[in-house]
Amino acid sequence: RAKSLGKGCFVVFSPEMHAQTLSLLKLERDLRSAVDRQEFVLYYQPIIDLQSGDLTDVEVLVRWQHPDRGLVMPSEFIPLAEETGLIVEIGQWVLQEACQTLRDYQQQFASATELKFSVNLSSEQLQDPNFIQTVDRVLSQSGLDGRYLKLELTESMLMSHEEKHIKTLQQLRDRSITISLDDFGTGYSSLSYLYRFPLDTLKIDQSFVSRMISEPKDAEIVNTIISLARTLNMDVIAEGIETEEEVLHLKKLGCERGQGYWFSPPMSQEKLEEHLQAGPQWFVQQQPMNPNFS
Ligand code: C2E
Ligand code: MG
Ligand code: MG
Ligand code: MG
């Protein structure tokens, strides 16, 4: 970014760069008004017990319902939201909406009484001095018990301000909230920190799962992560499962749970409600969904 080059440093803009800058500025302006106008929606992806086929958790994934662009995916706006700090407000909305929705489902659907919702966090949220206060407010406003809430962090978020993060995670644990380490294996993987943080679940990154069948090295990494989780007394979820072959292989390696297009792509609230109405069994009761048809 030109800004980071500092004063007295000239940057020559080409017409393309100018256009890019303008559209980035427009995106930032749109994102600010999206917060005010509440243009975000949540999508939900099931996390399945590979042995029983039951739905155990649901990962909550945000989308932006843009007035002209339609549904915008997180990869297109989360980085900008993080850079501008807007993620703190967006994240609060996501957390509130997720907890309220799950609380409503607990009262509405018998199949939702033990369900957990898993919400992604950005580093800016974890570092927000009011974060725990926000969590307390959300839990009390929604009436949700913390044990039904899971928060997903990444390795890189924990690498700085270690003592502070240990304290924050401990405060979450005091509220019975559980923690998943997302995209595990892609970060620094300095394993010693796994002992120091109160973590509950490792989520094996989808890149290893998708290469696991064709690349023995990736199968070995998956195997290692599963044993590591066992040693650390954590549970493990495989991300990005797209084929039945992957399911069978993961079961053979002792992986407990998984999520991916094989079971279902992230779906709308209406779709999720149809499934909850039908009961907790996911895999047996229905054919895997093809992501292209949802
Ligand atoms: P993530 O937390 O690792 O979420 C999993 C992503 O993988 C989701 O993409 C999901 O749609 C996609 N996925 C699931 N199954 C499969 C599969 O079988 N194959 C493939 N190729 N992909 C699969 P999505 O929804 O686009 O989200 C992307 C990322 O954006 C998330 O990665 C997460 O890091 C971030 N994100 C999403 N929602 C939020 C949020 O509310 N707050 C924050 N801070 N970040 C979020
Ligand atoms: Mg995640
Ligand atoms: Mg992930
Ligand atoms: Mg990811």
Side-chain angles (χ1 to χ4, degrees), residues 182-183 205 239:
D182 205 356
D183 307 336
D205 189 68
E239 299 190 83

Coordinates of all heavy atoms in Angstrom, one line a residue, residues 182-183 205 239, ligand 4:
D182 N -8.6 -23.6 14.1 CA -9.0 -23.7 12.7 C -7.8 -23.8 11.7 O -6.7 -23.4 12.1 CB -9.8 -22.4 12.3 CG -10.8 -22.6 11.2 OD1 -10.8 -23.7 10.6 OD2 -11.5 -21.7 10.9
D183 N -8.0 -24.5 10.6 CA -7.0 -24.6 9.5 C -5.7 -25.1 10.1 O -4.6 -24.7 9.7 CB -6.7 -23.2 8.9 CG -8.0 -22.5 8.4 OD1 -9.0 -23.2 8.1 OD2 -8.0 -21.3 8.3
D205 N -6.8 -28.7 8.4 CA -7.1 -27.9 7.2 C -7.4 -28.7 6.0 O -6.9 -29.8 5.8 CB -5.8 -27.1 6.9 CG -6.1 -26.0 5.9 OD1 -6.9 -25.1 6.2 OD2 -5.7 -26.2 4.7
E239 N -11.7 -30.9 7.9 CA -12.4 -29.9 7.1 C -12.3 -30.3 5.6 O -11.4 -31.0 5.2 CB -11.8 -28.5 7.2 CG -11.7 -27.9 8.6 CD -11.3 -26.5 8.5 OE1 -12.2 -25.6 8.2 OE2 -10.1 -26.2 8.7
Ligands
MG4 MG -10.0 -21.5 6.1

